[in-house]
Amino acid sequence: MATLADSFLADLDELSDNEAEIPENNEVDTADMEEDIDIDMADIENLNYDDLDSVSKLQKTQRYIDVMQKVEEALQKGSDVSNYGVDLEDDPEYQLIVECNALSVDIENEIVIIHNFIRDKYRLKFPELESLVHHPIDYARVVKKIGNETDLTLVDLEGLLPSAIIMVVSVTASTTSGKPLPEEVLNKTVDACDRALALDSAKKKVLDFVETRMGHIAPNLSAIVGSAVAAKLMGTAGGLVALAKMPACNVQLLGAKKKNLAGFSTATSQFRLGYIEQTEIFQSTPPPLRMRAWRLLAYKSTLAARVDSTWGDPSGNTGRAFKEEIHKKIEKWQEPPPAKQPKPLPVPDSEPKKKRGGRRLRKMKERYAVTDMRKLANRMLFGIPEESSLGDGLGEGYGMLGQAGSGKLRVSIGQSKLAAKVAKKFKEKSYGSSGATSGLTSSLAFTPVQGIELTNPQAHAHQLGSGTQSTYFSETGTFSKIKRT
């Protein structure tokens, strides 16, 4: 029986065997990578950027030739209605449309490569042209039209560029620092322009084929934006499934081109509008509402593409419902705001309001009422400056206090009803000592109204004991004669 030490030794032997095998595999992989790098470097060294065929190879590939041949045959044959019941993934026309979408993307990339080639060659002749004309096809057409001509007044660029850009190009060409190209370089540049234009025409043919099949492949999307715009959106996105996975904020930018205003005002220009700008709904919308309609079209187009990608509604009713909803929303936006209705007065309450009253509320109001002094401080005489605590109008103002002419702050303090009533009540009470007079008797009485008050207890007692307060036995009273009737 093997011990624990023997099992550990066996494990160490296996680890050593694996470590011995790893370097051999790494050496093989490293050798393969070095060979691949050598091959890639050899291709880069053999690549000649002066040769157009070494830069642009798409038109000579078998895939390009086969797809273009199928597209031409399908355009001549027309739409095949027999395949309408077949699943979308198994439909041969849909497979051809997917290939066309992929080919259109490759064509765009190839056009960009050829554009860079033309720009590098023609930069010696007119270096400012690439900053004035941004679109590759427009640039290729202008380069082919100008050639080696130095005086652009002899070159007719009408129909190739807008009139404002033509004027800027003509003025810039008169002050350019470029020189005429050699004949060999000019021929390569013109050939590159022809190849770019041929690729552009092939792309248009592919889009035309996709457009004719949009009613079957994407009926809901075609119902909203039209077959032409739907074909362009699918071609740029790379297929219907790719378009369905794309968010609406990116769908509305498909086909957007950078506009060159050549120093003109940007107040009336619209930037970053793609293929959705070409739809009938967008063109019929008033200009102030076009941006909102642009976003709404992108949102509904994305939803329709998702319905078409799952073959949810082959009849196209969903797309027509979306289109009707878009029309209703745009009409709603154009309606004038509702007129402002007069607000009626509230219905008066028939029940009397519950207001607190009584002696306690009257006393509280009298206690917290504004005094005459505060009323005078809150008032000002016209044309007479008020006195203030700090002088020169600084500090707290005194208003009409002291405005009588004496120069002093005088206020005639009138005794309130509550104070008068309390004083009368406490005057009736005796706040002195008892009737006995002694040396300990005090003539000071404490009243809540006047504070310390000097009183005469004897006079008070004499007044109480006399008959002056009696109503019947009075020293000054007389008998009354009552006439009998």
Side-chain angles (χ1 to χ4, degrees):
M1 182 176 179
T3 60
L4 183 63
D6 295 337
S7 62
F8 283 158
L9 290 175
D11 293 339
L12 290 175
D13 293 337
E14 292 178 359
L15 289 175
S16 60
D17 295 339
N18 294 333
E19 289 178 357
E21 293 175 358
I22 290 174
E24 296 177 359
N25 297 331
N26 290 337
E27 290 177 0
V28 174
D29 295 340
T30 306
D32 294 340
M33 291 175 61
E34 290 178 356
E35 291 179 0
D36 295 339
I37 293 174
D38 293 338
I39 294 173
D40 294 340
M41 293 299 295
D43 293 340
I44 294 174
E45 291 176 357
N46 294 329
L47 186 62
N48 185 9
Y49 286 101
D50 291 336
D51 187 12
L52 183 60
D53 294 333
S54 61
V55 176
S56 175
K57 301 178 180 179
L58 180 63
Q59 288 178 306
K60 296 182 179 180
T61 58
Q62 189 64 32
R63 169 172 163 267
Y64 175 84
I65 297 172
D66 293 341
V67 172
M68 292 306 300
Q69 185 177 359
K70 291 179 182 179
V71 167
E72 291 179 358
E73 292 177 357
L75 288 175
Q76 294 176 1
K77 183 177 62 174
S79 179
D80 189 4
V81 187
S82 61
N83 293 329
Y84 276 13
V86 184
D87 190 9
L88 188 62
E89 298 295 334
D90 299 333
D91 192 355
E93 283 196 352
Y94 179 74
Q95 300 297 330
L96 180 59
I97 288 174
V98 172
E99 293 179 1
C100 290
N101 291 330
L103 182 63
S104 64
V105 175
D106 294 339
I107 289 176
E108 287 185 357
N109 297 333
E110 192 76 9
I111 289 175
V112 171
I113 294 173
I114 297 176
H115 171 64
N116 294 332
F117 179 85
I118 299 171
R119 190 177 55 185
D120 293 340
K121 297 298 180 183
Y122 205 71
R123 190 174 293 167
L124 301 175
K125 168 67 174 59
F126 197 171
E128 296 86 2
L129 183 61
E130 59 185 84
S131 61
L132 300 176
V133 182
H134 297 284
H135 197 265
I137 301 301
D138 294 340
Y139 185 82
R141 289 172 180 168
V142 172
V143 169
K144 184 179 179 181
K145 191 74 173 178
I146 295 176
N148 257 346
E149 186 65 44
T150 56
D151 188 7
L152 291 190
T153 57
L154 305 176
V155 180
D156 186 15
L157 297 177
E158 289 291 336
L160 301 179
L161 296 174
S163 58
I165 305 297
I166 292 175
M167 181 180 63
V168 176
V169 169
S170 301
V171 173
T172 309
S174 61
T175 59
T176 185
S177 60
K179 298 179 180 179
L181 296 176
E183 191 68 24
E184 183 181 358
V185 177
L186 181 61
N187 293 333
K188 291 182 180 179
T189 306
V190 173
D191 292 341
C193 294
D194 293 336
R195 188 169 296 187
L197 296 177
L199 286 173
D200 184 62
S201 63
K203 180 184 174 182
K204 289 181 180 179
K205 187 179 294 185
V206 169
L207 292 179
D208 290 340
F209 164 72
V210 176
E211 179 181 348
T212 57
R213 303 301 189 269
M214 277 294 102
H216 168 57
I217 301 300
N220 297 284
L221 181 61
S222 302
I224 297 176
V225 298
S227 300
V229 178
K232 292 178 181 179
L233 291 176
M234 282 185 56
T236 308
L240 184 60
V241 179
L243 181 63
K245 294 180 181 179
M246 191 176 294
C249 58
N250 293 343
V251 171
Q252 62 188 10
L253 297 178
L254 292 177
K257 294 189 295 184
K258 183 178 179 181
K259 290 187 177 181
N260 183 20
L261 299 176
F264 291 93
S265 174
T266 60
T268 58
S269 63
Q270 295 177 343
F271 289 95
R272 301 181 67 84
L273 295 181
Y275 294 129
I276 297 181
E277 182 186 5
Q278 304 172 9
T279 58
E280 181 184 357
I281 299 177
F282 183 88
Q283 296 296 330
S284 60
T285 306
L289 302 175
R290 285 187 175 180
M291 297 303 293
R292 298 175 66 182
W294 177 49
R295 289 190 289 267
L296 182 61
L297 281 169
Y299 300 153
K300 297 300 181 182
S301 301
T302 306
L303 293 177
R306 291 169 184 174
V307 172
D308 291 331
S309 64
T310 58
W311 203 246
D313 187 9
S315 62
N317 293 328
T318 304
R320 285 188 286 272
F322 284 161
K323 186 176 182 180
E324 187 67 23
E325 184 180 350
I326 293 171
H327 280 297
K328 288 182 179 179
K329 285 190 176 182
I330 295 176
E331 290 176 0
K332 184 68 176 178
W333 295 342
Q334 299 180 44
E335 291 180 359
K340 189 176 182 181
Q341 300 294 334
K343 186 177 181 181
L345 295 175
V347 179
D349 297 332
S350 59
E351 299 179 358
K353 295 183 179 180
K354 296 180 181 180
K355 291 185 178 179
R356 184 176 178 85
R359 181 169 53 88
R360 185 181 301 175
L361 182 65
R362 290 195 299 271
K363 286 182 180 180
M364 186 185 67
K365 286 184 178 180
E366 188 177 354
R367 190 177 297 115
Y368 291 103
V370 181
T371 61
D372 294 337
M373 184 174 179
R374 176 56 60 185
K375 290 179 181 178
L376 291 175
N378 291 338
R379 296 175 181 173
M380 291 182 63
L381 291 175
F382 182 76
I384 300 176
E386 64 174 354
E387 297 182 6
S388 58
S389 59
L390 299 179
D392 296 334
L394 302 176
E396 184 179 359
Y398 293 141
M400 293 180 61
L401 292 176
Q403 296 289 342
S406 62
K408 297 181 180 180
L409 298 178
R410 284 188 176 183
V411 179
S412 58
I413 303 177
Q415 194 174 17
S416 62
K417 295 180 181 180
L418 181 63
K421 190 173 182 180
V422 173
K424 182 180 178 181
K425 180 179 179 182
F426 281 93
K427 276 184 179 180
E428 293 177 356
K429 295 183 179 180
S430 175
Y431 287 94
S433 61
S434 62
T437 58
S438 64
L440 298 177
T441 303
S442 175
S443 60
L444 295 177
F446 296 92
T447 63
V449 178
Q450 298 179 357
I452 301 174
E453 182 181 358
L454 290 173
T455 60
N456 188 359
Q458 295 179 356
H460 189 66
H462 177 69
Q463 184 179 3
L464 290 175
S466 63
T468 57
Q469 293 183 357
S470 177
T471 58
Y472 191 80
F473 299 101
S474 177
E475 296 176 356
T476 59
T478 57
F479 290 100
S480 300
K481 184 183 282 188
I482 301 174
K483 293 182 180 182
R484 293 181 179 181
T485 57

